[in-house]
Amino acid sequence: MDTYSFEDFVGDEKVFFAEYFNKKPMLRKGALAGRLDGLPSVRQLDDVLALESVPPSYLRVTKNGKGVPSGAYTRTVARGAALAEAINPEKVYELFRSGGTVTWNALHHLLPSARGLKAPFTDALACDAEVVLFVTPARNDGFAPHHDSIDVYVVQVNGSKDWRVWATPEIRRGDEGSYTAEELGEPLLEVTLVPGDVLYVPHGTPHAAAAKSELSLHLSVGVEPRRWRELLRDIVASVVEDDEFHGWPRLDHGQDSDVLTALSGKLELLRERLSRLDVASEAKRLHEAGRAKGGAGGPREFQRLATADTLHPASLVRRTAAPVEIGASDGVKTGLQVNGHRIAVPDAVAAALRGLDGHQQVVAADFFPGVPEARSLSAVRGLTRIGVLEVAAPVQAVHEKRK
Ligand SMILES: [Fe+2]
């Protein structure tokens, strides 16, 4: 399955950030041509729709320019002893066949391919993103002219769609808004998007879209970069975590002179703490926190644990990046602390761990010197389960090599 980088969508990052980002729309015809198989598809949409118990908040159906009330495509399902509203796939198909556009919000909550699409944006822009899927039947008016409050990167996946995009206004409103075509005049861009085309629409930029002669599926990655107010709020929130700000003043009517004096003291303390911050490390922390907002490459813990059970005496293993505290020996065993686990291991195992620097690989059967192969393998499996060791090469490949 294909994976994507931010440059796959926007081209040269330097040019994009200097000339287009937050300034004007950008069209990249054929940017992903022939590389769509890693993205959410029509077939995957059928699969997610068939999941039982999908909450209605994920879906929106619009018909003749108006939102269809969710009661028209939901059903009541039993979840244990409770009842809940869930999407009724048959009703959704029926509305689609009669001309409705289906919008699936937050598709990355459900589909790995949508998480894979989100990740390059979260990484490059250090903020959260949402993958929304639009599926429109043939010859449909789609969406009337409007602007969104967030930046949108559109990828056409199936069929084609006519887009009109107007110039990004000098002064933009933060909210969403709709227009008539007469109000807007001549569009800046009039284009038919076909599979593989990418279109960047900055927030506040009026646009409209309509499907052509076949079913159209496009994905839109909506990104709201964190504004100064969000970043500064984050910094102040981390500073006031300190115990000095823990007290609970009684505010009375806000007139009490003791309270005013105390408040002024806390403000002074806050100013002082803020002035002592290391700006570079704060910027780095904010960047990392933004990138941690999700995307592909989750922990895959079950897969990791299953791998530990398939380790073979010939498997190559190495240290993971997890910090391990190796304690003192009692003459037989040594205490280890890692990932919240405290264990005692034979001194020879602790010595073997000390000797591994992360790049070095060791054969599982030889890890614990001077004991039978099965015992060494058992120690390796145990240390892999708690995250101290990891497989350094595919088990099968190493096994074949040693044959
Ligand atoms: Fe839009």
Side-chain angles (χ1 to χ4, degrees):
M1 198 167 80
D2 226 331
T3 54
Y4 306 93
S5 70
F6 188 58
E7 292 212 335
D8 290 335
F9 299 92
V10 301
D12 186 320
E13 277 190 38
K14 272 201 188 116
V15 175
F16 174 72
F17 283 115
E19 293 179 23
Y20 297 96
F21 181 69
N22 207 9
K23 293 187 186 83
K24 58 182 181 187
M26 183 181 76
L27 171 66
R28 290 192 70 231
K29 290 293 280 177
L32 290 175
R35 293 196 49 207
L36 296 169
D37 43 317
L39 294 176
S41 60
V42 171
R43 194 175 137 191
Q44 289 180 359
L45 182 61
D46 280 328
D47 290 344
V48 283
L49 205 51
L51 293 172
E52 294 186 24
S53 265
V54 176
S57 55
Y58 277 104
L59 211 78
R60 218 171 55 211
V61 181
T62 36
K63 213 173 149 181
N64 306 324
K66 287 196 194 99
V68 175
S70 64
Y73 53 87
T74 53
R75 62 182 172 191
T76 306
V77 292
R79 268 191 209 133
L83 294 175
E85 283 302 290
I87 289 167
N88 181 342
E90 270 317 310
K91 292 278 173 61
V92 174
Y93 288 134
E94 215 172 280
L95 285 163
F96 185 76
R97 283 193 295 263
S98 63
T101 287
V102 174
T103 309
W104 192 293
N105 303 309
L107 193 63
H108 54 280
H109 287 182
L110 294 162
L111 273 185
S113 58
R115 281 197 287 283
L117 170 61
K118 174 183 164 163
F121 291 89
T122 329
D123 261 10
L125 300 164
C127 57
D128 205 0
E130 181 184 7
V131 175
V132 180
L133 179 148
F134 296 83
V135 59
T136 319
R139 283 181 225 90
N140 178 281
D141 282 344
F143 290 97
H146 67 278
H147 73 248
D148 299 305
S149 63
I150 54 174
D151 279 19
V152 169
Y153 300 77
V154 174
V155 185
Q156 186 73 27
V157 173
N158 199 98
S160 56
K161 204 156 202 180
D162 286 337
W163 281 75
R164 283 172 297 156
V165 183
W166 286 265
T168 305
E170 286 279 302
I171 299 168
R172 284 173 280 177
R173 306 198 321 249
D175 56 354
E176 295 176 353
S178 53
Y179 309 83
T180 61
E182 297 74 54
E183 256 179 278
L184 290 165
E186 277 303 296
L188 175 75
L189 205 67
E190 231 169 325
V191 63
T192 300
L193 292 192
V194 297
D197 292 348
V198 173
L199 174 67
Y200 165 65
V201 184
H203 70 272
T205 306
H207 56 279
K212 299 211 20 138
S213 55
E214 53 194 327
L215 178 151
S216 159
L217 185 155
H218 81 260
L219 299 161
S220 109
V221 184
V223 175
E224 182 158 23
R226 286 176 297 164
R227 295 167 205 285
W228 279 119
R229 69 173 69 91
E230 274 107 38
L231 297 171
L232 293 171
R233 209 178 281 143
D234 186 313
I235 291 175
V236 172
S238 74
V239 169
V240 298
E241 273 303 307
D242 193 283
D243 281 352
E244 298 262 23
F245 298 95
H246 184 65
W248 177 17
R250 179 169 171 261
L251 290 172
D252 198 9
H253 293 98
Q255 309 286 322
D256 192 305
S257 68
D258 288 350
V259 169
L260 296 182
T261 309
L263 177 58
S264 134
K266 293 296 177 199
L267 284 171
E268 187 48 47
L269 183 63
L270 178 61
R271 269 194 286 274
E272 190 259 328
R273 290 285 161 83
L274 287 171
S275 72
R276 274 179 14 206
L277 284 179
D278 175 26
V279 177
S281 68
E282 275 305 295
K284 192 160 181 277
R285 183 182 68 78
L286 291 170
H287 179 249
E288 276 162 16
R291 290 183 66 181
K293 292 278 185 185
R300 298 209 173 277
E301 186 62 5
F302 289 124
Q303 194 177 330
R304 197 185 66 73
L305 289 169
T307 306
D309 294 341
T310 62
L311 283 170
H312 185 272
S315 304
L316 280 174
V317 292
R318 66 180 169 215
R319 279 277 292 270
T320 62
V324 182
E325 275 180 48
I326 303 180
S329 163
D330 65 2
V332 182
K333 291 202 160 187
T334 301
L336 289 188
Q337 204 174 330
V338 63
N339 293 335
H341 298 275
R342 259 173 210 280
I343 54 166
V345 297
D347 287 348
V349 168
L353 279 178
R354 275 201 194 93
L356 286 179
D357 69 358
H359 297 293
Q360 269 173 297
Q361 303 178 0
V362 63
V363 175
D366 305 338
F367 174 74
F368 189 169
V371 300
E373 179 176 286
R375 192 160 168 220
S376 181
L377 178 63
S378 157
V380 165
R381 283 187 177 164
L383 291 170
T384 305
R385 282 188 200 104
I386 60 171
V388 178
L389 296 175
E390 65 187 1
V391 181
V395 176
Q396 192 57 33
V398 176
H399 184 49
E400 293 298 322
K401 220 162 63 186
R402 280 175 63 100
K403 265 189 194 168

